[in-house]
Amino acid sequence: YARVGDIQEMLGDHEAAEQSYSAGRRLLAELNAKFPTNVRYSQDLAACVNNLGQMLKSAGRTPEAELALREALDLRRKLTDDRHDEEDRRELATVADNLGVLLLGEGRYTEADSLLRQSVGLREALAGGQTEPAYQQNLARGRNNLGVLLAAVGRPDEAEQTFRQALDVLIGLAKQYPNAPDYRQELAVSYNHLGNLWRDTNPVKSEKFYLQSLGLRDRLVADFPTTPVYRQEQAASYHSLGFVRQAAGRGAEAEKDYNQTNLTLVAEMY
């Protein structure tokens, strides 16, 4: 049921995914209660509930999503306390990050800060002993999310430092794996975060970061012209550039950026 729910969620069928996740949750909870020494049932239950929470979040049902993610967090914490296993710590970091991002979106910054820092701490420890790129990528994602929180609470210098730590990781991954577009895409996101951070207070600095993000996104569109998300992100970069240039009184340049935004979005339709 849980794996079927994953597929239905990928296809955007929230109603069917919820039914599948809920059925999987009931079955796994029964198995976990009946066979408490079988760790796999508890792990699968935690994964199912986490995915249910993420689906509910995508559907805009935030209170229900929070309940599901807290349940998943409790399951992962118990697994980690009982076993001290690498897989359990990795998944605990994922759930803590998911719940932290949800609370960040709700403006509950103190709770979000604790969870996002917990996630980053776990990921730093895991990445330190691993050469697998997924560990480094997850660490960069966690730092980016923590950076967004620091920006939201008015701590821009700390936010920039955190974003730059994410940049360092992603620059290394993009160089090491030049044919893997995900690393370039996430590197562009990090530069975009830095552009957003300084947009209102230091537009010159902001423009520099937006241009770095745009350069990466231009290349992604050139390399993968049929991938819609790359064009959407490229259009967002042009719009951000237009905003800072317009604010700086450079209307002609801003107009070109806004026109390019429209052209990019129109191109996506064909």
Side-chain angles (χ1 to χ4, degrees), residues 10 16 23 60 73 76 78 83 91 93 99 101 116 142 148 158 164 166 195 203 205 219 235 237 240 251 258:
M10 288 174 60
L73 187 68
R76 288 296 180 188
K78 185 176 187 309
R83 294 178 0 108
E91 295 303 323
L99 181 55
V101 169
L116 293 176
V148 171
E158 292 175 75
R164 285 188 180 278
K205 191 174 183 178
R219 289 192 290 275
S237 284
S240 296
Y258 289 138

Side-chain angles (χ1 to χ4, degrees), residues 79-120:
L79 282 163
T80 302
D81 290 343
D82 290 346
R83 294 178 0 108
H84 305 286
D85 181 79
E86 181 179 297
E87 177 186 354
D88 293 323
R89 286 184 288 135
R90 184 184 69 237
E91 295 303 323
L92 173 59
T94 297
V95 180
D97 187 77
N98 289 343
L99 181 55
V101 169
L102 182 146
L103 296 174
L104 170 60
E106 293 294 295
R108 294 159 62 183
Y109 299 132
T110 301
E111 294 174 272
D113 183 275
S114 176
L115 287 161
L116 293 176
R117 289 184 188 278
Q118 179 188 8
S119 179
V120 168

